[in-house]
Amino acid sequence: MMESGVPLCNTCGEQIGLTSNGEVFVACHECNYPICRSCFEYEIKDGRASCIRCATPYDDSSLITDGKADESGGHTTMASHLSKDQDVGLHARNISSVSTADSEYIDEYGNPIWKNRVESWKEKKNKKKKDKSKPVKEVQIPVDQQMEEKGQLAEASQPLSIVAPIPRTQQTSYRIVIIMRLIILGLFIHYRVTHPVDSAYALWLTSVICEIWFAFSWVLDQFPKWSPVNRTTFIDRLSARYEREGEPSQLAAVDFFVSTVDPLKEPPLITANTVLSILAVDYPVDKVSCYVSDDGAAMLTFESLAETAEFSRKWVPFCKKFAIEPRAPEFYFSQKFDYLKDKVQPSFVKERRAMKREYEEYKVRINALVAKAQKTPDEGWTMQDGTPWPGNNTRDHPGMIQVFLGNTGAHDIEGNELPRLVYVSREKRPGYQHHKKAGAENALVRVSAVLTNAPYILNLDCDHYVNNSKAIREAMCFLMDPLVGRDVCYVQFPQRFDGIDKSDRYANRNTVFFDVNMKGLDGIQGPMYVGTGCVFNRQALYGYGPPSLPNATKVSSSHSSCCCCLRKKPAKEKDPAEIYRDAKREDLNAAIFNLREIESYDEYERSLLISQMSFEKTFGMSSVFIESTLMENGGVAESANPSTLIKEAIQVISCSYEEKTAWGKEIGWIYGSVTEDILTGFKMHCRGWRSLYCMPVRPAFKGSAPINLSDRLHQVLRWALGSVEIFLSRHCPLWYGWGGGRLKLLQRLAYVNTIVYPFTSLPLVAYCILPAVCLLTGKFIIPTLSNLASALFLGLFISIISTSVLELRWSGVSIEALWRNEQFWVIGGVSAHLFAVFQGFLKMLAGVDTNFTVTAKAADDTEFGELYMIKWTTVLIPPTTIIIINIVGVVAGFSDALNSGYESWGPLFGKVFFAFWVIVHLYPFLKGLMGRQNRTPTIVVLWSVLLASVFSLVWVKINPFVSKVDPSKLAQGCISIDC
């Protein structure tokens, strides 16, 4: 552990030590790279005179200090310990820990492994030197080879990723505009509050309340984007460090999770393409395992996966031989491009045509299975051996596991090994709460831990395929970098989608969120977990805290010392608030134990220690799974019996396994909301972890999104409902996690924004109706504008535009995407978010679960036919009502102006401006109601024109909102002019 503020060496994990002056030893004064004197001496003796991290030559003072240390002999070096691979492995193992109370969790992420490899290279060179009889002449290595080896060592020592903040001029301008907008907004709110409209007090009060809420919502959304960053990865350096020719790959293993429920709603062919893209990923075969969760226990999914495993034996070698992208066959063969470009292999054309025929035959077999599954036999499904399918009753069936590929001896057509492919269907029994997707993901965590136990997990939705075969390497540039990955709980990739029309009418791509908001969070504590395309550190899913947490939490306290400081600060007594925070930290990490203590015991003593520490209360009763949580680098024991592991895997997916454990509460995917992704990432950030955002040039994963209006609104409804559930739960960011002090303030603001944004629908609906009410009543929410008010309006308008323009500059988002996002914010706010608020309160407070069903009509058989599909649902009622009211209000306003004279035209423009603001924002919704633009029903147009004309004529003749005229006076007037 770090004591007295002395940091640890990034090479061996020991304390750096002090100089004769009592100061912390510093080898490189340029970057202060933490390296102890022993490792520094070893590097100097080996001829390396520059820093490992920044390549800056060591100065003379460090070299002199090194010489004095050698002469004195008072300090024992680590060279002897590092000379043997066995000693290095033991040393690294003893200093490793996943405990939040211990900061010695050194280099599970690769640093000792890389150090071992460097040492092995040096040993080989030394052996060659010893074998030569004439050391001066015969040990000489060709210059090219020397340069190559030096280049490899230099490449391996370089950082695997860099952080590239946005240009300082853009960032400074952006922050200034944010502050200016905040000041102008405050002055505007002050003006609105201090200048009431007595003639329309109710309308004025409603508008002011709405504007105050909008200002609060803007603050929550804007300030988490205070420090946006971009990250760049170097996968070539990753290969240089962890992959050497002629040596086994040292890259970390990855378990892929693919979840599906209903194969009739989630087509098996789409799921199969996702699986095939995983099996063909550009990563060592023995490091990849794919687990498919069938939560519907469908025989169709099982049989389609068997066909997929067979087809993969031909598809995987084809992908790797010709390095094609993407490696999902459906999307590869549907690409419209010249596939002969940059393909120099003469056999490519022939093999591609043959593979396309194979895939078409494979599709026929899958479609035949789907057609067969349309009607379930009365006696239920039976397998090929005649036995009933165990999952005939989807709500009452045992757990099922089938290993299709991997260690079963399955190879591709070229004789190469294939990644492991495992089918998993967890047990379902009546009376148990299964927690939908979150429960299925937790079952996969346990199954994978028993069978493969990779240190990293990547989860994908069944319709999100791997679009970039090197995506895993991109993530490993963060997770396996000893300088970056120690405190990283997950690496999140942005979601990209296929099949969306060019105009993106309903903002399905979510470009503003993924390219603006997530980049902003990456500069604080990390992006949120968005449910798919995320590479997890398995230890973080187990509820463990980050290894350097004690250093991070003590920086703000008065008795601590920063690792960058050279002298220890005097200790002070803890105040009651700090004692309370420390107690909270212990409560949050009750399930975390020091592996360094456990490693020194034999198997019997270890089992007793595990029992004593009550691992069963946290992880369940499986001893095999508990033992897997103690393996620092993952993997299963070589002596493990495969049949025993399968039985153990069946046990950990039983429906009663999670009872009286911490699953879903503190470890794994967290239960309590339909948006379990937000909760899971939030809990990790509360423990002190940080996440990273990876945006490769070629999108890592691509999926499908609902592009018609009704499906899009129901998707947004589900997300908003999950946010309301979190708001009403104990995990609400407004009050959860304050005791630990590990969640940064801006990060908390971002999480607060994710759970309160549905409530913006209430003031938004009111604000969208106000313009129509003003037009119908002849009243207005703003009095006559003074010079100050005009300046505030103009300043606020300019600041809004400036903020948007600067965000466009540093994010690269297009103006069209920003406008579509703004439009759908209004559309979703007055429809799906509004229903989510009421549904959430009914569900959480009254226990009433309300579902809004969707009835679909047939879609066109064109590329974007689904876009014009009309599905009637209750979610469409509020926005339809609002747009009709505003259209009627505009017609009524112009009619009243024509009837009243030119004096009424001035106030009319202000009212009509706000009404048109509402109509323009709801225009995509109006197009969605009408369907295809050139197929708008004629009857709709005729009725619209007729109703508008009739209403206008009636409004001119009889205006119910104007003051009543005395009939007697009207009669006298008529008599006087002889009418």
Side-chain angles (χ1 to χ4, degrees):
M1 293 180 59
M2 183 185 301
E3 298 177 0
S4 303
V6 181
L8 302 180
C9 176
N10 254 7
T11 300
C12 66
E14 295 290 341
Q15 291 188 13
I16 289 181
L18 305 177
T19 64
S20 58
N21 298 329
E23 297 182 348
V24 176
F25 174 76
V26 178
C28 178
H29 296 279
E30 182 69 23
C31 65
N32 291 332
Y33 181 72
I35 181 173
C36 67
R37 186 191 301 272
S38 303
C39 295
F40 172 73
E41 294 171 358
Y42 189 85
E43 294 292 337
I44 296 300
K45 290 179 182 179
D46 198 59
R48 186 179 187 89
S50 59
C51 178
I52 299 176
R53 181 179 185 181
C54 64
T56 303
Y58 293 128
D59 57 12
D60 296 337
S61 60
S62 298
L63 299 177
I64 294 173
T65 306
D66 168 49
K68 291 182 179 180
D70 284 339
E71 293 175 2
S72 62
H75 187 79
T76 305
T77 68
M78 293 294 297
S80 59
H81 297 287
L82 295 175
S83 61
K84 295 182 180 180
D85 292 343
Q86 183 178 359
D87 293 339
V88 173
L90 180 61
H91 178 66
R93 183 168 61 252
N94 284 340
I95 65 173
S96 298
S97 170
V98 295
S99 172
T100 57
D102 195 340
S103 62
E104 295 184 6
Y105 189 77
I106 299 298
D107 297 343
E108 170 187 344
Y109 303 87
N111 197 36
I113 299 175
W114 169 69
K115 184 66 180 178
N116 296 348
R117 190 178 305 104
V118 174
E119 296 302 326
S120 66
W121 299 340
K122 295 174 182 177
E123 287 184 0
K124 291 179 181 178
K125 291 169 63 178
N126 292 334
K127 288 181 180 180
K128 290 181 180 179
K129 293 179 181 180
K130 292 179 181 179
D131 292 339
K132 302 296 181 178
S133 58
K134 296 180 180 181
V136 177
K137 295 182 180 180
E138 296 185 6
V139 299
Q140 290 183 353
I141 302 175
V143 177
D144 295 341
Q145 184 176 349
Q146 291 181 4
M147 295 297 295
E148 181 181 357
E149 291 183 356
K150 290 182 179 179
Q152 290 173 348
L153 289 173
E155 187 75 13
S157 64
Q158 294 295 319
L160 302 180
S161 64
I162 59 174
V163 179
I166 64 174
R168 180 168 297 181
T169 54
Q170 293 184 14
Q171 189 177 46
T172 304
S173 303
Y174 185 57
R175 292 177 176 177
I176 291 175
V177 170
I178 291 175
I179 298 299
M180 292 299 298
R181 182 174 173 181
L182 183 64
I183 296 173
I184 295 173
L185 190 61
L187 295 175
F188 173 77
I189 296 296
H190 178 266
Y191 172 82
R192 295 284 286 122
V193 171
T194 56
H195 291 76
V197 182
D198 297 330
S199 60
Y201 190 82
L203 297 179
W204 167 83
L205 182 61
T206 303
S207 65
V208 169
I209 294 174
C210 294
E211 289 161 3
I212 292 175
W213 178 266
F214 292 150
F216 171 72
S217 178
W218 173 79
V219 170
L220 293 180
D221 179 71
Q222 186 65 61
F223 278 88
K225 296 181 285 188
W226 186 258
S227 301
V229 298
N230 296 308
R231 297 184 185 272
T232 304
T233 57
F234 305 98
I235 57 177
D236 51 344
R237 297 178 183 176
L238 180 76
S239 298
R241 181 176 298 187
Y242 295 105
E243 290 182 302
R244 294 286 296 175
E245 185 177 355
E247 299 180 8
S249 173
Q250 299 295 335
L251 291 174
V254 181
D255 287 338
F256 287 78
F257 292 174
V258 180
S259 56
T260 182
V261 180
D262 188 351
L264 299 180
K265 295 181 180 179
E266 301 165 337
L269 187 62
I270 300 299
T271 304
N273 272 269
T274 301
V275 172
L276 289 170
S277 68
I278 293 173
L279 298 178
V281 73
D282 183 9
Y283 208 70
V285 173
D286 58 326
K287 307 289 185 179
V288 175
S289 300
C290 179
Y291 293 84
V292 179
S293 171
D294 178 19
D295 220 30
M299 188 174 176
L300 173 58
T301 304
F302 180 85
E303 290 184 337
S304 64
L305 206 59
E307 291 286 351
T308 302
E310 187 63 28
F311 177 71
S312 68
R313 299 179 181 180
K314 303 174 183 178
W315 174 251
V316 172
F318 171 76
C319 294
K320 294 186 176 181
K321 181 177 180 180
F322 298 107
I324 67 169
E325 295 285 359
R327 299 188 177 181
E330 181 69 21
F331 301 95
Y332 171 70
F333 289 121
S334 63
Q335 291 181 117
K336 298 178 181 179
F337 72 105
D338 182 11
Y339 62 86
L340 298 178
K341 186 178 180 181
D342 300 330
K343 298 294 183 182
V344 296
Q345 297 92 331
S347 62
F348 173 69
V349 176
K350 181 179 179 180
E351 293 192 32
R352 185 184 187 277
R353 291 173 179 171
M355 183 54 60
K356 189 172 184 179
R357 288 194 299 269
E358 292 283 353
Y359 178 64
E360 294 298 331
E361 295 175 1
Y362 164 74
K363 286 176 64 176
V364 170
R365 294 193 296 270
I366 295 296
N367 292 332
L369 293 175
V370 174
K372 178 183 175 182
Q374 295 295 327
K375 185 177 181 181
T376 306
D378 296 335
E379 65 278 6
W381 299 106
T382 57
M383 295 185 289
Q384 293 181 354
D385 58 358
T387 58
W389 171 248
N392 279 324
N393 187 346
T394 58
R395 297 183 179 180
D396 188 2
H397 65 84
M400 295 176 282
I401 297 177
Q402 176 65 46
V403 181
F404 287 104
L405 300 174
N407 294 340
T408 58
H411 294 79
D412 60 28
I413 58 176
E414 297 181 357
N416 300 318
E417 184 182 355
L418 287 170
R420 181 177 299 213
L421 176 61
V422 184
Y423 168 88
V424 179
S425 181
R426 57 182 175 142
E427 182 185 17
K428 294 285 187 69
R429 300 297 180 191
Y432 287 93
Q433 178 61 261
H434 299 104
H435 303 289
K436 298 182 180 180
K437 180 182 177 181
E441 295 287 349
N442 284 337
L444 289 182
V445 172
R446 298 190 294 269
V447 168
S448 62
V450 172
L451 297 181
T452 52
N453 196 31
Y456 301 106
I457 294 172
L458 191 154
N459 81 297
L460 293 172
D461 290 342
C462 63
D463 60 344
H464 276 69
Y465 64 92
V466 181
N467 183 63
N468 184 350
S469 62
K470 299 183 183 295
I472 313 306
R473 296 177 179 270
E474 298 275 355
M476 290 303 146
C477 287
F478 300 112
L479 295 170
M480 296 190 68
D481 191 334
L483 301 178
V484 177
R486 297 177 60 212
D487 298 338
V488 177
C489 55
Y490 60 81
V491 175
Q492 178 67 61
F493 290 87
Q495 291 186 21
R496 304 301 186 203
F497 301 98
D498 288 320
I500 299 176
D501 66 306
K502 188 176 181 180
S503 64
D504 193 14
R505 183 183 298 175
Y506 308 121
N508 283 280
R509 292 189 176 93
N510 283 330
T511 309
V512 174
F513 174 76
F514 287 113
D515 290 9
V516 179
N517 295 36
M518 296 287 268
K519 279 186 178 180
L521 290 176
D522 198 17
I524 308 174
Q525 199 170 344
M528 301 174 183
Y529 168 43
V530 296
T532 184
C534 186
V535 184
F536 283 97
N537 181 344
R538 187 183 285 269
Q539 298 297 320
L541 283 173
Y542 287 158
Y544 297 158
S548 62
L549 181 62
N551 302 337
T553 56
K554 291 179 182 179
V555 170
S556 60
S557 61
S558 58
H559 65 282
S560 65
S561 57
C562 177
C563 62
C564 299
C565 298
L566 299 180
R567 296 183 180 180
K568 180 180 177 181
K569 296 181 180 180
K572 296 181 181 180
E573 294 183 2
K574 293 184 178 180
D575 58 23
E578 292 182 18
I579 296 176
Y580 175 77
R581 285 198 296 268
D582 292 342
K584 280 292 184 181
R585 295 189 189 108
E586 295 177 0
D587 293 339
L588 286 173
N589 297 280
I592 303 168
F593 307 101
N594 192 344
L595 297 185
R596 185 179 183 183
E597 299 176 359
I598 297 177
E599 281 293 339
S600 60
Y601 295 100
D602 57 24
E603 293 297 327
Y604 176 74
E605 292 173 331
R606 181 186 298 185
S607 64
L608 293 180
L609 188 60
I610 292 174
S611 176
Q612 178 183 355
M613 292 180 172
S614 302
F615 268 75
E616 294 88 350
K617 293 182 180 180
T618 302
F619 296 112
M621 299 302 294
S622 172
S623 59
V624 175
F625 174 76
I626 292 175
E627 194 70 21
S628 71
T629 64
L630 304 178
M631 297 181 181
E632 306 158 34
N633 298 318
V636 296
E638 297 180 358
S639 59
N641 187 351
S643 60
T644 304
L645 293 181
I646 292 294
K647 293 180 180 178
E648 199 69 25
I650 291 292
Q651 177 190 348
V652 298
I653 61 173
S654 62
C655 55
S656 60
Y657 184 83
E658 294 184 354
E659 287 189 337
K660 299 181 180 179
T661 66
W663 285 101
K665 302 173 184 176
E666 297 296 333
I667 62 177
W669 271 257
I670 306 301
Y671 305 150
S673 172
V674 294
T675 53
E676 70 287 332
D677 47 2
I678 295 178
L679 268 182
T680 303
F682 175 64
K683 293 278 285 188
M684 292 181 181
H685 285 137
C686 285
R687 293 190 185 101
W689 291 95
R690 66 190 181 105
S691 57
L692 298 178
Y693 200 48
C694 183
M695 296 182 65
V697 176
R698 179 179 179 85
F701 310 101
K702 279 190 174 182
S704 57
I707 63 173
N708 67 73
L709 179 60
S710 301
D711 287 349
R712 173 67 167 143
L713 289 178
H714 275 268
Q715 181 190 57
V716 174
L717 170 62
R718 185 177 64 84
W719 295 342
L721 177 60
S723 297
V724 176
E725 289 175 343
I726 297 175
F727 177 80
L728 299 175
S729 70
R730 72 182 185 92
H731 290 121
C732 178
L734 288 171
W735 50 74
Y736 182 84
W738 286 97
R742 302 168 186 172
L743 192 66
K744 295 184 179 180
L745 178 60
L746 292 182
Q747 192 80 12
R748 185 178 295 277
L749 287 181
Y751 275 110
V752 170
N753 185 45
T754 61
I755 58 112
V756 302
Y757 79 89
F759 298 97
T760 307
S761 60
L762 299 175
L764 185 60
V765 169
Y767 214 72
C768 288
I769 295 177
L770 280 176
V773 176
C774 292
L775 286 168
L776 293 173
T777 59
K779 300 178 180 179
F780 201 33
I781 58 176
I782 300 177
T784 303
L785 293 178
S786 61
N787 293 334
L788 175 60
S790 302
L792 290 177
F793 273 107
L794 183 62
L796 187 61
F797 183 72
I798 294 176
S799 65
I800 291 174
I801 294 179
S802 302
T803 306
S804 302
V805 169
L806 291 175
E807 286 185 354
L808 295 179
R809 288 190 62 191
W810 62 254
S811 67
V813 175
S814 65
I815 297 178
E816 183 182 14
L818 190 67
W819 172 240
R820 293 300 187 193
N821 180 79
E822 183 73 15
Q823 285 181 314
F824 195 79
W825 174 73
V826 177
I827 295 172
V830 300
S831 57
H833 298 172
L834 182 67
F835 275 77
V837 171
F838 289 105
Q839 185 177 353
F841 276 97
L842 287 175
K843 182 178 179 180
M844 302 300 293
L845 302 181
V848 178
D849 192 0
T850 307
N851 293 318
F852 304 101
T853 57
V854 178
T855 304
K857 295 183 179 180
D860 294 333
D861 218 7
T862 59
E863 183 180 3
F864 300 111
E866 188 184 355
L867 177 65
Y868 311 107
M869 185 184 298
I870 299 175
K871 298 182 179 182
W872 297 108
T873 171
T874 51
V875 180
L876 303 179
I877 295 176
T880 305
T881 305
I882 289 174
I883 198 169
I884 290 176
I885 291 176
N886 278 275
I887 292 176
V888 170
V890 171
V891 175
F894 277 103
S895 301
D896 187 61
L898 291 172
N899 192 38
S900 301
Y902 70 91
E903 291 91 355
S904 61
W905 284 93
L908 175 65
F909 283 116
K911 304 172 188 177
V912 171
F913 173 81
F914 288 102
F916 270 116
W917 182 91
V918 176
I919 294 173
V920 169
H921 279 76
L922 292 176
Y923 174 70
F925 176 83
L926 183 61
K927 287 191 67 175
L929 288 182
M930 291 185 176
R932 187 182 291 273
Q933 187 175 4
N934 58 359
R935 294 187 184 179
T936 303
T938 306
I939 190 66
V940 173
V941 178
L942 292 177
W943 272 106
S944 300
V945 174
L946 180 62
L947 290 176
S949 303
V950 171
F951 187 84
S952 300
L953 293 174
V954 172
W955 191 271
V956 173
K957 187 65 178 177
I958 305 172
N959 190 344
F961 293 100
V962 298
S963 59
K964 301 297 182 180
V965 181
D966 190 354
S968 60
K969 294 183 179 180
L970 183 60
Q972 293 176 1
C974 291
I975 294 172
S976 63
I977 61 175
D978 195 15
C979 62

